[in-house]
Amino acid sequence: MTELTLYEEAMCCSTGVCGPDPDDDLVEVSAALDQLETEIDDLDISRANMQHDIDQFLETQRIYDLVEEHGPSILPITIVDDEIVAKSEYLSYNALKAAVTDRESAPEA
């Protein structure tokens, strides 16, 4: 099972895709995550929003340390199987898929 976790800044709802004029980046990443979840059977996707899931930030030392050191501008942070694959930006569908499939095809250590 491949795990993808997206740590995000505080937003009004869990995805930020709400209200009359949602941010285009949030719409795109939400659609990309939905598409990946549909296409890849062994993929577990979770999103941690700083406002709604603060415990997850506090319990994940590496994320806590990064936010403490750099402030919330370091968000979003994308992690695939405990490896940070992006900071301060949302990845495109193609970049997310590559990050996930590269780890799926990597030989076990």
Side-chain angles (χ1 to χ4, degrees):
M1 175 73 65
T2 300
E3 293 182 13
L4 185 154
T5 305
L6 186 59
Y7 290 88
E8 301 173 282
E9 64 185 313
M11 294 184 278
C12 58
C13 63
S14 63
T15 63
V17 182
C18 49
D21 190 25
D23 183 293
D24 290 340
D25 288 341
L26 294 173
V27 171
E28 287 178 26
V29 78
S30 291
L33 294 173
D34 288 346
Q35 186 173 350
L36 286 173
E37 202 164 40
T38 300
E39 292 176 355
I40 302 173
D41 291 332
D42 260 1
L43 181 62
D44 180 31
I45 297 174
S46 62
R47 294 175 81 165
N49 173 318
M50 189 175 260
Q51 181 168 333
H52 299 283
D53 307 297
I54 192 65
D55 288 346
Q56 195 166 347
F57 281 80
L58 297 173
E59 293 167 2
T60 309
Q61 191 65 48
R62 183 168 45 157
I63 300 302
Y64 176 85
D65 291 345
L66 283 169
V67 174
E68 187 73 16
E69 180 180 345
H70 301 282
S73 65
I74 194 76
L75 301 171
I77 298 172
T78 305
I79 296 184
V80 176
D81 286 342
D82 294 323
E83 182 180 330
I84 295 174
V85 296
K87 294 183 259 185
S88 303
E89 68 176 335
Y90 285 106
L91 296 179
S92 68
Y93 165 79
N94 289 334
L96 285 167
K97 186 169 184 176
V100 169
T101 57
D102 285 352
R103 273 146 196 84
E104 286 184 334
S105 61
E108 292 289 323

